Amino acid sequence: MKAIKGREQRFTGHPVSPGIGIGPVHEATEPPLAITARALDEDDIAPELERLDEALTRSRHQLQKLKNRLAQLPEDSQAEIAPLMDVYLHMLGPSRLLRGVRARIETSRLCAEAAMQAEAETQAEAILALPGPDRAGKQRRADEVRELARRVVRNLTRQPFRSFASLPQGAVLAAESLRPADAALIQPAQIAGVITAEGGIEGHSAVMLRALGLPAVLGAAGVLEAAAPGALAILDGDSGEIILNPTRASLDTARARLAEQAKARRALSRLSRLPAETRDGTHVELQANLELPFELAMIARSGAHGIGLLRSEFMFMNRPEAPDEDTQTRIYRDIVEAMDGDPVTIRVLDWGSDKEVEALSQYLPATPETNPALGLRGIRLLLRHPHLLETQLAAILRAAAFGPVRIMLPMVSVAAEITETREILKKLWRRLKRRGGIALPDELPPLGIMVETPAAALAAPVLARHADFFAIGTNDLTMYTLAADRGMPLSAQLYDPLEPAVLRLIHMTASFAGTAGIPVSLCGELASRPRVSALLLGLGVRQFSMHGNAIPRVKQAIRATTLPACQALAERALGAESAEQVRALLEGE
Ligand code: PEP
Ligand code: MG
């Protein structure tokens, strides 16, 4: 790092993990990795394969050790990083990567480190070239392959790894980039925050830093060159700003904000014990969405009353085959028991379209669909493969013996999808009873649907005759209503859940559910925006499900309003001409 002493300088990066960090900058560089490609003679091949095996064993031990170390980290981060370690360990087993490396040593006669680097690069490129819109997911998988290859190469060539051991207490850790396995080595109590020159919002490292609760700004180009070792830095994990060599005034402002944040955090945690109700006493139910089981601890702290959306896709990820009935039962049962009497709404597998699940790729249509979002996904795909649906439903029924459970179907557009599923559910119920010796609930759990297509919203009065509850999924409802894909740059401008067309469908669904006397909740991202809470209440929704972290702020917003104010706001929003106008209304509140 080159010193430009004294002068205050500002940089901007991606705000990855919220909070203010103040401390002296210390760079933890990754030692360079040099590879010399050597060609092998015939006689060298067997010893080279042995050399590779030794390095693989060493890598396996290191990762195992890292996994054991995780026990010292907060529970959330353990659960975030442990599956990643398993992905690495899996690649060190009989994987495609290693088959490719061995083939390169045997047939191309490359030395092990060059073979490893070349094969990893080929596979990473192949992953990135896969069709499908999940760019971030593909990047992440490609990075995983490259990262593991680097570890093996270091072990093959005995080149050193990066270490954080010498960082002084309270330092701001600076690095060109940060790998997830590095992030796992950080002791959160030891440092004030993290800044890097490369990296973004997506990716394991970002998730890890958030889980560790460490303020972090990634991808701030130029910051490393400008920071002298030990120079004071302020990083703002909410705005993405980094200030090097702050002036007295900047430092005072940052310190005041740090104190303010601590105070706000305390106030929000006190909120978890207060009811979610408007000033005039309308009760609102706040539930949590669960995407990965490790979120349970955070959900317990959030003050959520149950799980309004359990996305069951995680059970099918990072594994070669779909889990069997017993495995699924165990996973659901653990969650149901952890919720200790609060309801758990389990959504059956929602896959297809942009949601790729490796273990199930064999079930996707042989010829890729031209319009996957309009094709086989969610309940459509499950009804085509009843054994997958049956295994999942049977496991859910069994878990329902241990606490209140609701079953939810994704991507419903017509009533037949509900009636067919209900028939399957009843058949399974009889079959499980016949099997004997299996704990089952006294009654069939409620069977409800996601309202995420305009068809479902428009047909709500009919669907309500067959469904026991509705959950409005505004993420997909917005996409299908506006015919705009969030992932595509041009249509992303159109994608806006505040468009009056979308609000009207929310309002209709809530009113129809009210008339039919069935519960309705809203579980898309919109539910987690406190600025929108009053509008949604005004549209008739009284139950929300969101990321657990968002619950305290949404509760605060609900407690600050009254029902007549919400209804007046909703009326004006429904009459607005654009999302812009709706936003202006919300800002005026
Ligand atoms: C939605 O579409 O709003 C929803 C909650 O489902 P997902 O985000 O899992 O598609
Ligand atoms: Mg959806």
Side-chain angles (χ1 to χ4, degrees):
M1 286 193 278
K2 234 179 14 245
I4 304 177
K5 264 206 139 166
R7 191 162 56 85
E8 175 173 299
Q9 281 181 288
R10 288 173 188 248
F11 298 84
T12 315
H14 302 290
V16 153
S17 178
I20 302 272
I22 307 174
V25 179
H26 284 272
E27 192 173 350
T29 41
E30 178 161 41
L33 187 58
I35 292 185
T36 320
R38 283 178 294 115
L40 303 175
D41 291 332
E42 179 72 40
D43 294 348
D44 297 333
I45 292 178
E48 193 65 4
L49 288 171
E50 252 173 56
R51 205 177 134 244
L52 173 69
D53 283 340
E54 262 172 39
L56 296 177
T57 308
R58 187 183 289 264
S59 305
R60 225 171 277 128
H61 284 157
Q62 287 164 348
L63 289 169
Q64 206 56 56
K65 245 165 87 187
L66 212 52
K67 230 180 131 173
N68 298 341
R69 256 191 57 100
L70 292 177
Q72 300 162 21
L73 295 179
E75 221 171 286
D76 299 5
S77 22
Q78 283 180 40
E80 171 61 34
I81 201 79
L84 176 63
M85 295 297 144
D86 290 334
V87 170
Y88 289 150
L89 285 166
H90 172 77
M91 279 194 268
L92 286 173
S95 64
R96 199 148 61 92
L97 176 69
L98 292 189
R99 276 198 302 280
V101 175
R102 290 202 174 92
R104 281 176 195 263
I105 296 175
E106 285 166 349
T107 51
S108 310
R109 298 203 177 169
L110 273 179
C111 67
E113 50 271 36
M116 174 57 82
Q117 193 186 36
E119 181 62 25
E121 203 39 48
T122 306
Q123 293 202 7
E125 292 295 336
I127 292 170
L128 292 172
L130 284 174
D134 182 13
R135 254 167 268 127
K138 283 184 278 190
Q139 187 63 53
R140 207 183 290 193
R141 274 160 57 208
D143 287 348
E144 283 165 7
V145 175
R146 289 179 171 136
E147 165 67 2
L148 182 83
R150 271 191 296 268
R151 175 173 295 277
V152 178
V153 169
R154 279 194 195 279
N155 283 324
L156 274 165
T157 54
R158 306 289 166 125
Q159 296 180 66
F161 288 82
R162 169 158 41 187
S163 153
F164 299 124
S166 56
L167 280 181
Q169 182 77 25
V172 167
L173 164 63
E176 195 59 35
S177 66
L178 195 71
R179 307 191 198 299
D182 293 335
L185 287 173
I186 296 175
Q187 298 287 3
Q190 195 194 336
I191 62 170
V194 175
I195 56 178
T196 68
E198 289 170 16
I201 305 260
E202 300 283 349
H204 294 295
S205 300
V207 180
M208 265 299 291
L209 292 167
R210 274 196 291 278
L212 288 168
L214 266 176
V217 176
L218 305 190
V223 71
L224 294 189
E225 291 77 13
L232 195 61
I234 299 170
L235 67 118
D236 182 340
D238 293 281
S239 71
E241 187 172 54
I242 299 170
I243 308 177
L244 287 182
N245 309 315
T247 59
R248 178 94 247 155
S250 301
L251 198 57
D252 286 348
T253 312
R255 287 203 176 119
R257 286 200 48 211
L258 198 62
E260 233 170 68
Q261 274 176 4
K263 207 167 130 199
R265 230 170 252 161
R266 275 200 303 278
L268 283 177
S269 74
R270 271 198 298 275
L271 257 182
S272 73
R273 291 185 291 276
L274 297 174
E277 58 184 29
T278 58
R279 287 206 329 258
D280 52 341
T282 302
H283 182 73
V284 181
E285 193 136 329
L286 299 183
Q287 298 189 313
N289 292 352
L290 182 141
E291 205 152 336
L292 292 168
F294 80 88
E295 294 167 326
L296 272 172
M298 174 267 296
I299 289 173
R301 287 194 300 270
S302 71
H305 177 239
I307 294 174
L309 167 63
L310 187 159
R311 292 181 164 106
S312 61
E313 290 77 58
F314 74 85
M315 291 198 312
F316 299 82
M317 306 280 189
N318 295 327
R319 55 192 314 153
E321 278 168 27
D324 61 16
E325 185 187 308
D326 286 344
T327 311
Q328 291 197 37
T329 305
R330 223 173 308 122
I331 298 172
Y332 300 136
R333 179 181 167 173
D334 284 348
I335 297 173
V336 169
E337 288 188 329
M339 291 309 291
D340 201 18
D342 282 345
V344 178
T345 310
I346 304 176
R347 182 176 74 185
V348 292
L349 184 62
D350 182 15
W351 111 106
S353 185
D354 64 331
K355 299 186 178 182
E356 293 168 31
V357 179
E358 257 168 59
L360 302 174
S361 50
Q362 53 179 314
Y363 298 105
L364 290 173
T367 339
E369 297 169 297
T370 329
N371 262 324
L374 303 181
L376 286 178
R377 68 167 281 201
I379 192 63
R380 302 175 187 181
L381 204 42
L382 285 180
L383 285 170
R384 285 263 178 137
H385 300 286
H387 63 286
L388 276 176
L389 180 60
E390 287 178 12
T391 308
Q392 196 172 17
L393 288 177
I396 298 174
L397 283 175
R398 289 170 59 186
F402 300 92
V405 164
R406 307 195 306 170
I407 303 172
M408 184 151 77
L409 311 182
M411 265 302 283
V412 168
S413 34
V414 294
E417 288 158 342
I418 315 170
T419 51
E420 274 177 49
T421 310
R422 198 181 285 280
E423 283 313 308
I424 295 176
L425 195 61
K426 285 187 191 154
K427 182 182 77 182
L428 287 168
W429 175 258
R430 290 192 295 270
R431 197 186 287 167
L432 287 171
K433 278 193 168 160
R434 273 202 305 276
R435 244 202 256 168
I438 292 178
L440 288 171
D442 297 334
E443 288 175 7
L444 271 178
L447 175 68
I449 61 163
M450 297 279 299
V451 175
E452 354 178 50
T453 62
L458 293 163
V462 175
L463 301 189
R465 286 184 214 140
H466 304 283
D468 298 320
F469 63 92
F470 287 161
I472 307 172
T474 45
N475 305 342
D476 278 314
L477 186 61
T478 304
M479 171 170 91
Y480 290 119
T481 304
L482 299 168
D485 183 344
R486 186 168 18 178
M488 309 299 285
L490 285 177
S491 56
Q493 293 165 13
L494 257 182
Y495 180 100
D496 194 331
L498 292 180
E499 271 301 331
V502 181
L503 301 183
R504 197 165 287 280
L505 289 177
I506 296 174
H507 181 54
M508 278 173 56
T509 308
S511 316
F512 287 141
T515 311
I518 65 168
V520 57
S521 69
L522 192 146
C523 60
E525 295 308 315
L526 201 57
S528 62
R529 288 162 58 177
R531 296 212 76 128
V532 187
S533 305
L535 170 58
L536 296 175
L537 281 179
L539 292 173
V541 185
R542 297 285 178 275
Q543 196 179 37
F544 300 99
S545 190
M546 66 200 79
H547 192 284
N549 281 339
I551 288 181
R553 282 197 177 83
V554 167
K555 192 190 274 188
Q556 205 170 30
I558 291 168
R559 291 177 59 84
T561 189
T562 63
L563 197 56
C566 296
Q567 284 161 339
L569 174 64
E571 203 170 308
R572 272 180 288 149
L574 287 172
E577 291 192 0
S578 64
E580 279 308 298
Q581 279 188 12
V582 174
R583 237 185 305 283
L585 283 173
L586 297 181
E587 243 125 68
E589 281 296 295

